[in-house]
């Protein structure tokens, strides 16, 4: 679904232009990607740092019960419209799941579970119900609980971290910076030097880490970090990751082992 519904422009992330609703030229007849193993070296970096959090599968397999978008232009347009709503719904569900898995956010778990129930019911509803949803209102309803949960995680830091919410830190020289407990919600960190920075207990929701250097950085305990968000950055074997976030496959393997990095940080 993502390879068809979404548009992209020729840039450092994509080698060609593609309008929304048009299938990518690399999409095979069986819906697989013909160059999946070579996306980055062939200039398709944007594909490797994108995650719809399962929204495409939900639309294809649940909302439309396996209907093939190739069978009818009208059906395709409708599916793509539903996907545009489903994608942020699944993104919100992913954020809610992150903080519901943390004991330090227990005081807002009841509110978060109510949000999860409402979002899950919408995700499982019929196409007309999904299309009628107001995405802005959904975000506004869930965001206060996510913000409180992020603050509770930040409060675990032994120091009061700086608030850089929405800040323009593109290219900032932050090597070795103590950013424990910082709020980096929506911060622009494109190309920032975060080598060996201490980012434990930070709120990273919506932070733009494209091209940022996280080599040797410590992100353990940070909240709302996603695999695709980190895949847009650079890192190495010494970069410490939060929770269940997997190390991006393209990150360099050089550098001290994580255990050595942990001893150095402590």
């Amino acid at each position: 679904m993502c390879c068809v519904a979404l548009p992209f422009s020729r840039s450092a992330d994509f080698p060609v232009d593609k309008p929304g609703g048009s299938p990518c030229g690399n999409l095979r007849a069986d819906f697989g990607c013909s160059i999946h193993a070579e996306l980055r070296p062939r200039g398709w970096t944007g594909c490797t740092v994108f995650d719809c959090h399962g929204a495409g599968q939900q639309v294809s397999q649940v909302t439309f019960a396996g209907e093939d978008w190739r069978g009818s232009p009208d059906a395709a347009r409708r599916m793509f419209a539903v996907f545009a709503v489903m994608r942020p719904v699944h993104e919100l569900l992913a954020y809610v799941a992150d903080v519901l898995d943390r004991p330090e956010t227990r005081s807002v778990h009841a509110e978060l579970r109510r949000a999860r129930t409402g979002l899950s019911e919408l995700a499982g509803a019929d196409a007309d119900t999904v299309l009628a949803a107001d995405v802005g209102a959904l975000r506004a309803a869930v965001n206060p609980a996510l913000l409180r949960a992020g603050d509770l995680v930040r409060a675990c830091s032994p120091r009061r971290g700086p608030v850089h919410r929405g800040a323009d830190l593109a290219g900032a020289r932050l090597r070795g910076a103590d950013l424990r407990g910082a709020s980096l919600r929506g911060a622009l960190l494109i190309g920032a030097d975060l080598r060996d920075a201490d980012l434990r207990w930070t709120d990273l929701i919506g932070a733009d880490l494209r091209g940022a250097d996280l080599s040797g950085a410590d992100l353990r305990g940070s909240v709302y970090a996603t695999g695709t968000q980190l895949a847009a950055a650079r890192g190495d074997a010494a970069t410490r990751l939060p929770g269940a976030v997997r190390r991006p496959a393209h990150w360099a393997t050089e550098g001290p082992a994580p255990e050595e990095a942990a001893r150095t940080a402590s």
Side-chain angles (χ1 to χ4, degrees), residues 129-181:
T129 301
V130 176
L131 287 171
D134 184 333
V135 173
L138 288 172
R139 291 188 187 278
V142 178
N143 192 57
L146 294 178
L147 180 60
R148 285 194 293 274
D151 287 343
L152 288 168
V153 171
R154 294 175 56 222
C156 294
S157 171
R159 70 182 293 272
R160 187 179 180 85
V163 177
H164 293 312
R165 185 175 182 179
D168 185 352
L169 297 171
R173 298 178 179 178
L174 296 168
R175 184 171 188 174
D178 187 351
L179 294 170
R180 288 175 295 170

Side-chain angles (χ1 to χ4, degrees), residues 13-28:
D13 292 326
F14 299 101
V16 298
D17 295 324
K18 187 190 85 65
S22 173
C24 173
N26 299 315
L27 188 65
R28 300 192 310 240

Side-chain angles (χ1 to χ4, degrees), residues 86-109:
M86 193 71 73
R87 181 181 158 202
V89 168
H90 274 241
E91 181 183 41
L92 288 171
L93 280 168
Y95 289 141
V96 169
D98 185 351
V99 284
L100 271 176
D101 196 38
R102 295 170 180 261
E104 61 266 40
T105 62
R106 188 174 295 109
S107 62
V108 292
H109 278 187

